[in-house]
Amino acid sequence: MSQENRLDKTTRINSLFDFYELLLTDKQQMFLKYYFHDDYSLGEIAAEFSISRQAVYEHIKRAEQVLEMYEEKLGLMEKHYRRVRDLEELKSTLSSSGVTHEYQSQMMDIVERLEAND
């Protein structure tokens, strides 16, 4: 796997983890944190827990599959990023819409409240 693909995968897993962490088992949470957040190697994690590298690899792979399954079924991450894109588009449209400054300010306040609720 290329460095860029590894970085993309790490970014995706970390994002999914942010959304679905509490739906994972304690062991899955711990192994993913060590591997993706703290950048431990499989060998370092195996030594820490006195298990084989293969066992660590299987725990991590299974946790990744679980995260992907939750996203496939619930779509929370995609909905979040879509909402962020839509809010940015709305802000841009408001800025260039030609409406009065007062109305534009009111609308931007609403957008900011929506962003704060994210």
Side-chain angles (χ1 to χ4, degrees):
M1 179 180 294
S2 76
Q3 183 68 21
E4 186 174 321
N5 288 341
R6 170 107 170 98
L7 184 58
D8 289 345
K9 179 181 178 181
T10 298
T11 300
R12 179 167 176 79
I13 294 299
N14 282 328
S15 293
L16 288 170
F17 188 79
D18 289 342
F19 282 93
Y20 302 111
E21 173 182 3
L22 297 177
L23 299 176
L24 298 173
T25 66
D26 290 341
K27 188 178 281 188
Q28 288 171 332
Q29 290 177 32
M30 192 173 355
F31 284 1
L32 286 179
K33 283 179 185 176
Y34 273 86
Y35 191 71
F36 288 104
H37 289 187
D38 302 331
D39 204 27
Y40 278 51
S41 69
L42 295 176
E44 290 170 323
I45 299 169
E48 180 77 21
F49 294 95
S50 301
I51 60 175
S52 70
R53 290 182 67 219
Q54 183 63 33
V56 172
Y57 175 80
E58 289 171 6
H59 281 294
I60 290 171
K61 281 294 162 203
R62 177 67 183 130
E64 290 175 22
Q65 291 170 347
V66 169
L67 289 174
E68 292 291 354
M69 185 234 3
Y70 284 133
E71 178 60 14
E72 182 181 317
K73 292 184 183 304
L74 301 173
L76 298 178
M77 186 174 76
E78 177 56 34
K79 288 174 187 171
H80 167 76
Y81 288 124
R82 188 175 338 120
R83 189 170 47 250
V84 168
R85 285 190 306 268
D86 290 348
L87 287 169
E88 286 302 316
E89 183 180 346
L90 179 58
K91 283 172 33 177
S92 175
T93 301
L94 280 172
S95 295
S96 62
S97 67
V99 297
T100 67
H101 181 70
E102 181 181 338
Y103 182 71
Q104 185 178 10
S105 179
Q106 290 172 345
M107 295 303 291
M108 287 298 223
D109 287 345
I110 293 169
V111 170
E112 288 172 7
R113 284 197 308 268
L114 288 169
E115 287 178 323
N117 290 330
D118 224 5

